[in-house]
Amino acid sequence: MNIRPARVGDVPSIYELIRTFADRKVMIRRSLGELYESIREFQVAIDDNDRVVGCAALHVFWEDLAELKCLAVAEDVQRAGVGRGLVEACWNQARELEINSVFALTYAVEFFERCGYQQMDKADLPHKIWNECVRCPLFPNCTEVALIRSHEPVPRTADAENRLQLIQV
Ligand SMILES: CC(C)(COP(=O)(O)OP(=O)(O)OC[C@H]1O[C@@H](n2cnc3c(N)ncnc32)[C@H](O)[C@@H]1OP(=O)(O)O)[C@@H](O)C(=O)NCCC(=O)NCCS
């Protein structure tokens, strides 16, 4: 199994992976256009037959905050470490960008906890993240959980609050 930055040729496979889980309402559907536009945010897992078996994206919000999103692993290779590998690849990318905290909104709470994430109050996230949620079929009754992994303790200072408010729309 190899994890590498995605290429435009991976987009149809990423689209299909996400669509499978979007149909079950555990992920937000992404159009091909959106995927091409954001392809530089994606990492993919490739198996020995060159098949895309997993994907994840890191979306930067601000100087100290990014979201891990679009995480999906093909059902036939789940529970074999692919998801953890993708989460680590995104975390390493965040570190290279000098971003301290990465959060995720998910139903896969135990999986993220096993990957070093801690539950947090959704209300502590910047309002900007809800722009995408309005496209979700479950909005506004979503029960997704917010989890975060940080190099530093989760920001609670007045300074951090001010910075978060700066990126709210
Ligand atoms: C969640 C998901 C990405 C996990 O991928 P995976 O490749 O199966 O995960 P891994 O094999 O790397 O698992 C890492 C650890 O989490 C555990 N784990 C994985 N899925 C789990 C689950 N659904 N519930 C509880 N624990 C889980 C594994 O047992 C493993 O534990 P370990 O610490 O003992 O090794 C995958 O199930 C998936 O694509 N789900 C559908 C889409 C989805 O919900 N995406 C998340 C949206 S943000």
Side-chain angles (χ1 to χ4, degrees), residues 31-132:
S31 70
L32 283 169
E34 280 176 281
L35 294 174
Y36 282 117
E37 281 180 22
S38 58
I39 192 64
R40 279 175 287 200
E41 297 183 349
F42 275 83
Q43 302 283 326
V44 284
I46 310 291
D47 73 7
D48 295 342
N49 299 314
D50 249 8
R51 180 173 69 117
V52 175
V53 292
C55 63
L58 185 79
H59 180 74
V60 178
F61 270 102
W62 200 247
E63 65 172 340
D64 55 0
L65 188 67
E67 180 181 8
L68 195 164
K69 55 199 269 189
C70 299
L71 173 66
V73 173
E75 273 177 305
D76 61 317
V77 299
Q78 285 183 6
R79 301 278 182 151
V82 178
R84 189 199 299 279
L86 286 161
V87 168
E88 283 307 306
C90 291
W91 175 248
N92 290 337
Q93 192 186 14
R95 293 200 72 163
E96 282 165 19
L97 291 167
E98 299 179 345
I99 290 170
N100 283 326
S101 301
V102 177
F103 73 91
L105 287 164
T106 186
Y107 298 108
V109 178
E110 198 177 328
F111 163 77
F112 273 96
E113 286 177 338
R114 287 189 170 276
C115 293
Y117 281 69
Q118 292 178 313
Q119 291 191 43
M120 67 175 292
D121 189 340
K122 275 197 267 190
D124 287 339
L125 290 170
H127 289 174
K128 192 177 175 185
I129 68 159
W130 308 121
N131 285 352
E132 279 203 345

